[in-house]
Amino acid sequence: MVPPEAPATGANAHEAAVPPAASVCAPGSMTVLRHRRDFLAAARAARAGATSLSLQGRERRKDEEAEGIRVGFTCSKKVGNAVARNRAKRRLREAARAVIAAEGRPGWDYVLIGRKEITAERPFEDLKADLRHALRRVHGARG
């Protein structure tokens, strides 16, 4: 198999019909929070901490327009310089694609907050397990 970024010429021209690598979540199932008011609303709602991240989540009111799952990501300067913060956010985005896309609830907003050093360094499977644990706690289950 040829990498998705390889040009479709010569020997791999027959694979041109294969789309490039994409997110594991279905198109339109998750959107990214962009507005400060949405982050503030999530901050006033349920919270759950885990070893490598903090999760804030809220169920949107019925009169709000947005549908599906919305997710926001943030890392403060305590996490480190811009390179460290961006790496932590990239890892949080990938964990959200894998976990929240499958286990999140439609009509909910989630904000994932990176933690100093641990978010960027924790093994990825452990990061996803932490997110699952925090998600269960935000939704009201113990454990």
Side-chain angles (χ1 to χ4, degrees):
M1 184 80 186
V2 177
E5 65 276 1
T9 60
N12 64 348
H14 66 282
E15 294 178 354
V18 177
S23 172
V24 296
C25 61
S29 66
M30 281 188 1
T31 56
V32 178
L33 293 177
R34 303 261 184 226
H35 301 287
R36 178 174 163 76
R37 67 178 176 267
D38 295 327
F39 281 87
L40 293 175
R44 290 189 299 269
R47 298 175 186 204
T51 304
S52 57
L53 59 97
S54 293
L55 177 71
Q56 299 170 339
R58 75 175 184 110
E59 187 172 14
R60 292 188 301 276
R61 297 186 316 261
K62 302 298 178 201
D63 62 338
E64 293 184 66
E65 296 176 13
E67 295 179 4
I69 299 171
R70 298 190 312 177
V71 183
F73 306 92
T74 187
C75 290
S76 72
K77 287 190 176 181
K78 290 179 185 177
V79 172
N81 63 13
V83 173
R85 291 193 307 270
N86 287 334
R87 181 168 195 259
K89 285 191 281 189
R90 277 195 310 271
R91 296 187 87 226
L92 290 175
R93 277 193 294 273
E94 285 305 312
R97 284 185 185 112
V99 175
I100 292 180
E103 300 177 27
R105 295 182 182 173
W108 278 67
D109 289 347
Y110 301 101
V111 175
L112 283 76
I113 303 168
R115 292 206 168 154
K116 184 177 183 178
E117 297 172 2
I118 191 80
T119 302
E121 302 301 323
R122 189 146 168 93
F124 191 67
E125 291 303 317
D126 293 342
L127 182 69
K128 291 192 306 188
D130 290 344
L131 180 54
R132 283 186 193 95
H133 173 74
L135 205 54
R136 283 192 303 272
R137 289 187 54 204
V138 163
H139 290 157
R142 296 284 179 209

